[in-house]
Amino acid sequence: MKPAAFDVIVIGAGAAGMMCAAQAGQRGRRVLLIDHAAKIGERIRISGGGRCNFTNSKVGAENFLSQNPHFARSALARYSQFDFIKLVERYQIAYHEKTLGQLFCDDSARQIIDMLRAECDLGKVQWAQPCNVQSIEQIDDDGLRFQLSTDSDRGTIRCQSLVIASGGLAIPKLGATPFGYKVAEQFKLPIIAPKPALVPLALAPETLAPLEALAGASLNVATHCEDQPGEFREGMLITHRGLSGPAILQISSYWQMQEYANNKKQPISIDLLPGLDAAAWIAPHRHGKSTLNSLLAEFLPKRFAQEWCALHNWTKPLAEHSRRDVDTMISTLKAWTLMPAGTLGYAKAEVTLGGVDTNALSSKTMETKAIPGLYFIGELVDVTGWLGGYNFQWAWSSGWVAGQYA
Ligand code: FDA
């Protein structure tokens, strides 16, 4: 008896895989969606603190990191944030906008999973889970192009189009595996070395020790690092291991990117007084009795101002500091530079930077150029979004376009 055949097999029932399977199914394709986990959409469930930051009201290619910064443009234009918002509204899922255009469910991320499942049902998608794919073989048999052996009761199965949507490496305990990268290697597709991104930064013990007293401090800053256009003006948290909070997670991706260019990594820079002309602000106090620490308390948490000034030995009244000292205070307040020792790794990362090289893929369809019928979508691909709903939008957009062609 010949193995069961499908038009499309999608491996990975996460954000991108479910979107792709639903679309292909709704086009009338016979689709099988495989996941090795017993539960689907785990990453969606825990995202956004359980409310899923499902997209952003303002999305452009500039919100993504990739070796080809233009690659994401096509998919994002063909299935935009507005298309996903329409889908959410069609399912009457209440949502709200938080800061910086981030859209969250009012109630629960579960609603997004249920919506995607309902979309798959509309496309009569069949499911196989838990199911591990043990091997993939290219075949040429009456239009069928791939044969998969699995450890489930599905046994050996065949398909015309194979979509790999198994995600990145972040948070292994949520079921992340290197499966997709191995498939890319099997088919000799280039890979941009994966790295943890949107991840807290670690500081070396000698940098951390003087900051020990600041652990727990949270402040609004603007962060910057080399090769990053502009700055991220968000919250930062000093921890017992280093730096965290949105402003740090955002630049961590750019900091990690520096390695691709074979550059030595550069320090990050933190503006503690974003939006303020520090020189103009300090000028009237330059010859006065106030200490920097007391003045800073207007903008920074008191404890932080105190410890930070002590750290730099700027505790005397300003009048007693030399002109040079005051100039250094101003430049350090506007660009406090720190060299991270590394990141806290995949266990604490939100996404994976790098992945299947976009040069190997069509930006219109996500199909590989070298292997007809083989597609890669979602986080597995070398397209990494900023924090703020951009990574899900990439999953929806890349999944949707692949679903139109697979
Ligand atoms: P995703 O990881 O969603 O799905 C991959 C699927 O493949 C999983 O179901 C997995 O079980 C399956 N799989 C893996 N290996 C397999 C194998 N060997 N065989 C079969 N199946 C396999 N983004 C955002 O935009 N807004 C947010 O609020 C958040 N919040 C957030 C919180 C946390 C804690 C994390 C870790 C991440 C986020 N993200 C996010 C990022 C977002 O979750 C991520 O970018 C998308 O889920 C990626 O979608 P994919 O479908 O590509 O992978």
Side-chain angles (χ1 to χ4, degrees):
M1 203 174 70
K2 276 203 168 182
F6 295 86
D7 295 325
V8 184
I9 293 179
V10 180
I11 304 178
M18 282 197 274
M19 175 58 93
C20 176
Q23 284 301 309
Q26 290 175 27
R27 276 172 50 229
R29 303 281 276 164
R30 253 167 61 85
V31 182
L32 178 69
L33 180 50
I34 295 179
D35 205 291
H36 73 144
K39 284 188 190 160
I40 54 156
E42 275 298 271
R43 218 156 282 255
I44 303 176
R45 185 179 61 77
I46 58 140
S47 67
R51 292 220 160 89
C52 186
N53 175 197
F54 56 79
T55 191
N56 196 288
S57 60
K58 205 164 159 274
V59 178
E62 64 280 7
N63 304 118
F64 296 85
L65 293 80
S66 168
Q67 293 302 299
N68 176 358
H70 303 292
F71 182 82
R73 239 175 249 285
S74 169
L76 292 172
R78 295 186 62 213
Y79 190 80
S80 71
Q81 71 273 34
F82 305 113
D83 294 310
F84 193 77
I85 293 167
K86 254 189 246 156
L87 182 65
V88 166
E89 288 176 351
R90 185 142 52 82
Y91 278 80
Q92 298 181 340
I93 298 173
Y95 64 92
H96 60 278
E97 182 169 329
K98 266 199 182 167
T99 52
L100 305 169
Q102 302 168 2
L103 302 182
F104 287 77
C105 298
D106 283 359
D107 296 327
S108 160
R110 281 234 154 269
Q111 294 172 292
I112 300 290
I113 301 175
D114 292 346
M115 175 186 84
L116 292 167
R117 212 180 226 295
E119 283 292 293
C120 285
D121 289 347
L122 280 178
K124 300 193 172 53
V125 171
Q126 296 182 47
W127 296 77
Q129 57 171 147
C131 171
N132 283 290
V133 174
Q134 291 156 325
S135 69
I136 301 174
E137 208 186 308
Q138 237 182 321
I139 55 168
D140 182 5
D141 182 6
D142 202 16
L144 296 171
R145 296 188 281 207
F146 302 95
Q147 177 164 299
L148 281 57
S149 71
T150 74
D151 68 354
S152 75
D153 53 10
R154 297 261 178 190
T156 301
I157 41 182
R158 294 171 148 200
C159 61
Q160 205 172 57
S161 296
L162 178 62
V163 183
I164 313 295
S166 53
L169 297 169
I171 321 245
K173 67 173 190 234
L174 281 180
T177 73
F179 178 84
Y181 307 108
K182 288 194 177 148
V183 176
E185 268 170 28
Q186 178 190 336
F187 289 100
K188 303 204 167 22
L189 301 171
I191 294 174
I192 308 296
K195 293 179 193 301
L198 295 183
V199 61
L201 295 173
L203 294 174
E206 62 274 17
T207 318
L208 201 54
L211 300 180
E212 191 66 22
L214 296 176
S218 145
L219 42 161
N220 288 318
V221 297
T223 50
H224 178 78
C225 80
E226 196 146 296
D227 297 333
Q228 169 207 334
E231 59 180 23
F232 290 106
R233 229 198 244 200
E234 290 186 64
M236 176 181 84
L237 184 69
I238 299 178
T239 71
H240 287 290
R241 297 177 70 183
L243 302 172
S244 189
I248 294 298
L249 301 189
Q250 297 280 33
I251 54 160
S252 71
S253 307
Y254 286 94
W255 191 71
Q256 290 281 74
M257 260 261 285
Q258 293 174 1
E259 270 175 11
Y260 294 140
N262 266 339
N263 283 344
K264 234 180 104 191
K265 281 188 167 170
Q266 303 295 321
I268 60 165
S269 154
I270 302 165
D271 180 350
L272 294 172
L273 299 174
L276 189 79
D277 177 343
W281 163 70
I282 223 166
H285 307 286
R286 238 182 146 129
H287 306 289
K289 284 188 185 151
S290 308
T291 57
L292 180 63
N293 142 32
S294 63
L295 293 171
L296 279 176
E298 187 184 340
F299 303 104
L300 297 171
K302 243 186 184 159
R303 186 168 70 88
F304 178 87
Q306 203 164 7
E307 298 292 349
W308 191 82
C309 290
L311 174 71
H312 292 93
N313 217 4
W314 293 327
T315 47
K316 294 183 290 189
L318 281 179
E320 292 176 33
H321 280 283
S322 67
R323 190 188 175 88
R324 202 198 224 180
D325 266 1
V326 178
D327 287 345
T328 311
M329 286 173 194
I330 293 167
S331 57
T332 312
L333 280 166
K334 292 304 284 181
W336 182 29
T337 54
L338 288 169
M339 186 63 190
T343 74
L344 294 200
Y346 286 117
K348 300 282 176 200
E350 213 162 273
V351 287
T352 307
L353 188 70
V356 177
D357 190 337
T358 57
N359 280 321
L361 306 174
S362 153
S363 62
K364 190 173 166 213
T365 65
M366 304 304 290
E367 187 176 17
T368 57
K369 292 173 185 166
I371 317 285
L374 179 64
Y375 296 72
F376 287 84
I377 57 174
E379 199 179 310
L380 195 47
V381 175
D382 174 35
V383 172
T384 307
W386 289 1
L387 192 76
Y390 301 101
N391 284 295
F392 277 136
Q393 186 56 47
W394 171 244
W396 317 134
S397 297
S398 60
W400 188 91
V401 293
Q404 310 309 308
Y405 298 95

